[in-house]
Amino acid sequence: MHIILLAVQSLDGFITQHDLPGAGFASAEDQAHFKEALRTCDCSVMGAETYRTSRDVIRSNLTAARLRIVITRAPERHAADGVPGALEFTAAEPEAVAADLRGRGLRRCALLGGGAINAAFVAGNLVDELWLTIEPRLFGGGTPLLREAVDARLTLRSCHPLNPDTLLLKYAFRRD
Amino acid sequence: MHIILLAVQSLDGFITQHDLPGAGFASAEDQAHFKEALRTCDCSVMGAETYRTSRDVIRSNLTAARLRIVITRAPERHAADGVPGALEFTAAEPEAVAADLRGRGLRRCALLGGGAINAAFVAGNLVDELWLTIEPRLFGGGTPLLREAVDARLTLRSCHPLNPDTLLLKYAFRRD
């Protein structure tokens, strides 16, 4: 199974603008790209805070074509939201989550943040690609792309503009 | 006077790799670009920690063609290193530093970090351009490009590869 970390950030690496939840700073072109990229995935993984921020949108767009996994310390608290095969909650570790998705025959997973979940998957060497939208902003604070220290090397696969000021960079994680 | 923030960072916005001082992670191509960019400037500004990290290199390359200003809380502590017109230490605020450089007839200043100095100049609306080298690394920790919250909007001027994995992005700060 292929895991793609999908994120939009400021030039200085923040996926939120200061304390504002969500990616309201993302350009319309990034939002279109994000939806398009998600459509190519048969599953996605996110943290509980990311879920809470987008809960209404997620719940009104549930489909059996893409399983959403929310990693949370308290899956039982979200039991009422669960829809087996479409929206599931788990307290499992990243390795176990990835193994479970692989075991279900899923092939392409979008990793959607936040910073703690992103870092745990990167630290576990579980991520194959990074698709990073860089908006022309500097925040100097907010939720970081990765909330814990890692040391990952990547290879640039492509760089293309989503609009005159916004770049979409695609990288592969190096395994050497 | 034109001020250019010149930096090399990881994909996630760190100008050092964790606690390692300096930009040892920078590619050879970025280092060549950095030297070339500095040669186009008649002055540069940096913080005391950045100066300490590069002190030997800076002192062995002093020239009247480029004035180096080091901003420090304790300029008197560095008095022995000072060379008027080539290497000066000051406790002045960013606005006063910029005004002084302008007053001397200087025209093009490289802002060289670290994160506190960068943020103070950006917060003061003193920076005209950002020349940002993005190395294909993720650190999840280190010295941030900007050490305090700001909210700056920029315009992408150019994007070009320094090597197959390293991008040089040039932005102008928007004044609107």
Side-chain angles (χ1 to χ4, degrees):
Chain A
M1 193 188 51
H2 202 76
I3 302 185
I4 302 169
L5 170 42
L6 204 57
V8 54
Q9 69 169 29
S10 65
L11 273 162
D12 54 340
F14 293 101
I15 59 174
T16 70
Q17 182 178 5
H18 310 138
D19 297 330
L20 294 173
F25 66 90
S27 57
E29 292 81 2
D30 171 69
Q31 293 174 42
H33 144 73
F34 179 78
K35 278 184 197 159
E36 192 53 45
L38 268 187
R39 263 195 285 274
T40 72
C41 295
D42 54 18
C43 55
S44 64
V45 169
M46 71 197 85
E49 203 176 313
T50 301
Y51 174 67
R52 265 191 299 274
T53 303
S54 303
R55 182 170 177 264
D56 293 345
V57 175
I58 290 170
R59 281 164 48 96
S60 60
N61 285 287
L62 286 185
T63 154
R66 189 167 69 258
L67 169 62
R68 276 88 158 177
I69 299 284
V70 180
I71 299 181
T72 163
R73 274 189 217 91
E76 67 286 355
R77 218 185 290 160
H78 300 278
D81 281 10
V83 180
L87 174 59
E88 302 182 7
F89 298 84
T90 177
E93 293 298 315
E95 286 77 2
V97 170
D100 174 53
L101 294 173
R102 230 181 348 253
R104 301 198 208 191
L106 297 170
R107 301 175 57 173
R108 197 170 161 88
C109 178
L111 178 63
L112 302 178
I117 295 291
N118 290 345
F121 274 76
V122 170
N125 261 317
L126 295 166
V127 188
D128 298 286
E129 290 185 61
L130 169 64
W131 291 12
L132 189 63
T133 299
I134 303 202
E135 296 289 357
R137 305 285 294 267
L138 289 169
F139 294 151
T143 300
L145 179 65
L146 303 172
R147 207 177 265 290
E148 62 174 282
V150 301
D151 189 8
R153 290 168 190 268
L154 301 92
T155 299
L156 180 63
R157 285 284 176 78
S158 70
C159 166
H160 83 258
L162 293 178
N163 68 38
D165 293 314
T166 300
L167 294 172
L168 171 60
L169 311 182
K170 294 186 178 179
Y171 291 85
F173 281 75
R174 284 171 56 173
R175 296 288 178 232
D176 52 313
Chain B
M1 193 188 51
H2 201 76
I3 301 186
I4 302 168
L5 170 45
L6 203 58
V8 54
Q9 69 171 29
S10 65
L11 273 163
D12 56 337
F14 293 101
I15 59 173
T16 70
Q17 181 178 7
H18 310 140
D19 296 331
L20 292 173
F25 66 90
S27 57
E29 292 81 3
D30 171 69
Q31 292 173 43
H33 144 73
F34 179 78
K35 279 185 195 156
E36 192 54 44
L38 267 187
R39 263 196 286 273
T40 71
C41 296
D42 54 19
C43 54
S44 64
V45 169
M46 72 196 85
E49 203 176 312
T50 301
Y51 174 66
R52 266 191 298 275
T53 303
S54 302
R55 181 170 178 264
D56 293 346
V57 174
I58 291 170
R59 282 165 46 99
S60 60
N61 286 289
L62 287 183
T63 154
R66 189 168 69 256
L67 169 62
R68 275 89 159 178
I69 299 284
V70 180
I71 299 182
T72 165
R73 275 189 216 91
E76 66 287 355
R77 219 186 287 161
H78 299 277
D81 281 10
V83 179
L87 175 58
E88 302 182 7
F89 299 83
T90 178
E93 294 299 314
E95 286 77 4
V97 170
D100 173 54
L101 293 173
R102 232 182 344 257
R104 301 196 207 192
L106 296 170
R107 301 177 55 175
R108 195 170 162 89
C109 177
L111 178 63
L112 302 177
I117 296 292
N118 289 345
F121 274 75
V122 170
N125 260 318
L126 294 165
V127 187
D128 297 286
E129 288 185 62
L130 169 64
W131 290 12
L132 190 63
T133 299
I134 302 203
E135 295 290 358
R137 304 286 293 266
L138 289 170
F139 295 150
T143 300
L145 178 66
L146 304 172
R147 208 178 266 289
E148 61 175 283
V150 301
D151 189 7
R153 290 170 191 266
L154 302 91
T155 298
L156 181 63
R157 286 283 176 78
S158 69
C159 166
H160 82 259
L162 293 178
N163 68 38
D165 293 314
T166 301
L167 293 172
L168 171 60
L169 310 183
K170 294 187 179 178
Y171 292 85
F173 282 75
R174 284 171 56 173
R175 295 287 177 234
D176 51 314

